[in-house]
């Protein structure tokens, strides 16, 4: 059992050395642990192609996980063998039974439904959702915005794209510019208090923290949507103010949808889908939407043409209605 503990610690260290997010760290460590326990705590160095195929097949057949979940587990094992154990899996040709991929057309909200949900949110949570819908942002992108990323002079919001690793610029909605200015002033105020209380640092990516060791205390690097209270960083154990927690925002969105009596599955990502669909309906071309969303390929963006096509089916008059 000591070997397993030591191995997982090495995995954590390697993930942090690679500057992966804490979310990825928890996911990879959890999946690797699951893999080890599935094979009766056998050390991965003693396992290879057959054990990996058996585990991935078990996930698909018995656990009935989604293709995305199965791919996450496979990525965790790739990381384990290549980065931690120094074993190249490329020649193994893994042939596990894959989870069945479902053709998924994203659900979207109407403009009226978006308005109703937002009206049932308050304060910072309302402003975050305004920004997610108004700019087509992922939740993580909105929450990771820093003061420096808002350029009021040129009407630009700089987005660090964590998925494609390609940053992009989007125009902020004019309707919330004054609220964004007020939010910046609010953050400036609480940052002054944090500094006076002996805190005031903010999480910085590792490379930047080494290069600019004092930047974490600067106002411009503070998160635009900070938590109400300071908390201990799970990695460094430094007490600092992080951004609003994803689960907290998600819970507020869910409650707002219930209050608005919207009987669709309303998550943070539905606002990004709705943004793209509403732009397409208003005549904005697909390439422009691709750039605004930060998609690598236009094929990814094309899913919204299917959404609009499905909506247009509603205009078809049923033969039953013609009987009258």
């Amino acid at each position: 059992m000591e070997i397993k503990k030591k191995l997982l610690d090495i995995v954590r260290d390697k993930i942090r050395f690679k500057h992966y997010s804490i979310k990825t760290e928890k996911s990879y460590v959890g999946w690797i642990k699951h893999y080890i326990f599935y094979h009766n705590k056998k050390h991965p160095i003693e396992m290879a192609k057959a054990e990996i195929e058996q585990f991935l097949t078990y996930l698909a057949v018995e656990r009935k996980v989604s293709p995305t979940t199965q791919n996450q587990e496979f990525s965790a094992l790739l990381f384990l063998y290549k980065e931690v154990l120094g074993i190249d899996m490329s020649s193994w040709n893994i042939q596990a039974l894959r989870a069945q991929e479902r053709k998924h057309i994203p659900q979207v909200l109407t403009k009226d439904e978006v308005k109703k949900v937002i009206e049932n949110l308050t304060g910072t949570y309302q402003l975050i959702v305004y920004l997610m819908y108004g700019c087509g942002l992922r939740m993580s992108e909105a929450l990771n915005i820093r003061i420096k990323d808002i350029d009021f002079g040129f009407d630009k919001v700089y987005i660090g794209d964590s998925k494609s690793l390609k940053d992009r610029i989007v125009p902020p909605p004019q309707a919330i510019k004054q609220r964004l200015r007020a939010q910046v002033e609010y953050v400036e105020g609480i940052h002054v208090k944090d500094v006076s209380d002996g805190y005031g640092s903010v999480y910085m990516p590792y490379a930047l923290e080494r290069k600019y060791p004092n930047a974490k205390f600067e106002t411009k690097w503070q998160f635009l949507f900070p938590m109400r209270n300071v908390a201990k960083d799970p990695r460094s154990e430094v007490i600092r103010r992080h951004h609003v927690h994803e689960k907290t925002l998600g819970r507020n969105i869910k409650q707002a949808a219930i209050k608005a009596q919207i009987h669709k599955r309303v998550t943070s990502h539905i606002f990004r889908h709705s943004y793209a669909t509403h732009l397409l309906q208003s005549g904005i071309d697909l390439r422009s939407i691709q750039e605004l969303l930060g998609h690598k390929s236009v094929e990814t963006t094309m899913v919204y043409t299917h959404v609009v096509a499905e909506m247009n089916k509603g205009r078809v008059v049923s033969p039953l209605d013609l009987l009258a």
Side-chain angles (χ1 to χ4, degrees):
M1 190 63 187
E2 286 301 312
I3 294 176
K4 307 299 184 296
K5 282 188 176 180
K6 185 178 179 183
L7 176 66
L8 294 181
D9 286 339
I10 295 171
V11 171
R12 289 189 185 94
D13 291 342
K14 199 70 176 181
I15 289 173
R16 294 176 189 185
F17 177 77
K18 290 281 187 179
H19 307 163
Y20 290 2
S21 70
I22 192 163
K23 191 174 180 180
T24 301
E25 177 183 323
K26 289 179 179 179
S27 175
Y28 277 20
V29 169
W31 279 120
I32 291 168
K33 188 176 180 180
H34 191 182
Y35 170 66
I36 292 169
F37 273 72
Y38 175 78
H39 288 293
N40 299 314
K41 302 180 184 176
K42 195 175 180 181
H43 196 288
I45 200 74
E46 301 171 12
M47 299 187 281
K49 181 177 185 291
E51 286 82 4
I52 292 174
E53 289 179 341
Q54 183 184 353
F55 181 61
L56 293 176
T57 300
Y58 152 75
L59 291 178
V61 176
E62 296 187 37
R63 291 285 303 277
K64 295 182 171 32
V65 301
S66 69
T68 302
T69 301
Q70 194 184 38
N71 287 335
Q72 286 174 350
E73 166 60 9
F74 188 53
S75 296
L77 294 180
L78 277 173
F79 184 88
L80 170 66
Y81 280 90
K82 183 180 179 181
E83 302 294 342
V84 179
L85 301 177
I87 299 172
D88 187 2
M89 292 170 55
S90 59
S91 63
W92 289 4
N93 190 25
I94 305 295
Q95 296 293 324
L97 184 64
R98 307 299 289 175
Q100 187 174 356
E101 189 98 35
R102 177 177 298 209
K103 295 296 181 183
H104 178 66
I105 296 179
Q107 191 169 43
V108 300
L109 299 174
T110 66
K111 293 175 184 177
D112 187 53
E113 287 171 337
V114 169
K115 185 179 178 182
K116 285 180 179 178
V117 174
I118 291 177
E119 285 174 345
N120 280 281
L121 288 162
T122 57
T124 301
Y125 304 118
Q126 186 184 66
L127 184 57
I128 296 171
V129 175
Y130 265 131
L131 201 59
M132 286 197 301
Y133 172 67
C135 297
L137 306 183
R138 302 178 181 95
M139 178 192 281
S140 61
E141 291 172 345
L143 295 182
N144 278 287
I145 292 175
R146 315 250 182 169
I147 297 294
K148 67 177 184 61
D149 298 326
I150 305 290
D151 188 334
F152 292 107
F154 286 99
D155 272 346
K156 297 180 187 298
V157 180
Y158 293 84
I159 305 299
D161 193 328
S162 58
K163 289 198 73 175
S164 69
L165 300 179
K166 181 182 177 183
D167 296 349
R168 68 187 191 277
I169 298 172
V170 296
Q174 296 300 303
I176 60 170
K177 272 187 72 174
Q178 287 306 116
R179 286 193 62 175
L180 288 174
R181 286 184 186 276
Q183 182 67 16
V184 170
E185 291 175 4
Y186 165 72
V187 175
E188 289 172 342
I190 63 171
H191 181 55
V192 169
K193 184 179 185 305
D194 284 347
V195 171
S196 67
D197 290 342
Y199 307 120
S201 73
V202 69
Y203 167 77
M204 299 280 287
Y206 288 95
L208 289 175
E209 186 162 18
R210 288 197 304 270
K211 190 173 182 179
Y212 307 110
N214 295 320
K216 59 188 175 186
F217 293 102
E218 295 178 10
T219 303
K220 66 183 179 184
W221 282 100
Q222 305 302 307
F223 289 112
L224 182 63
F225 303 113
M227 295 179 72
R228 292 179 181 174
N229 302 306
V230 294
K232 184 183 289 187
D233 188 296
R235 284 180 170 175
S236 66
E237 298 193 345
V238 173
I239 296 177
R240 56 171 50 132
R241 194 180 295 271
H242 203 58
H243 60 61
V244 167
H245 199 283
E246 292 186 4
K247 287 185 179 178
T248 306
L249 177 58
R251 185 167 58 250
N252 276 269
I253 290 172
K254 183 178 179 180
Q255 290 171 351
I258 293 171
K259 289 178 183 177
Q261 297 185 334
I262 306 297
H263 302 303
K264 295 178 181 177
R265 183 172 177 267
V266 180
T267 66
S268 63
H269 215 65
I270 202 170
F271 297 102
R272 179 172 162 89
H273 292 322
S274 301
Y275 165 85
T277 304
H278 296 165
L279 284 184
L280 198 59
Q281 285 180 312
S282 67
I284 303 298
D285 65 279
L286 206 60
R287 287 286 181 182
S288 296
I289 297 173
Q290 176 195 352
E291 290 293 323
L292 289 167
L293 293 176
H295 286 161
K296 285 183 179 180
S297 170
V298 72
E299 280 74 22
T300 307
T301 318
M302 282 182 68
V303 68
Y304 299 110
T305 63
H306 299 301
V307 175
V308 173
E310 288 296 319
M311 289 178 172
N312 289 338
K313 287 181 182 178
R315 300 175 185 173
V316 177
V317 178
S318 168
L320 180 62
D321 295 326
L322 295 174
L323 292 179

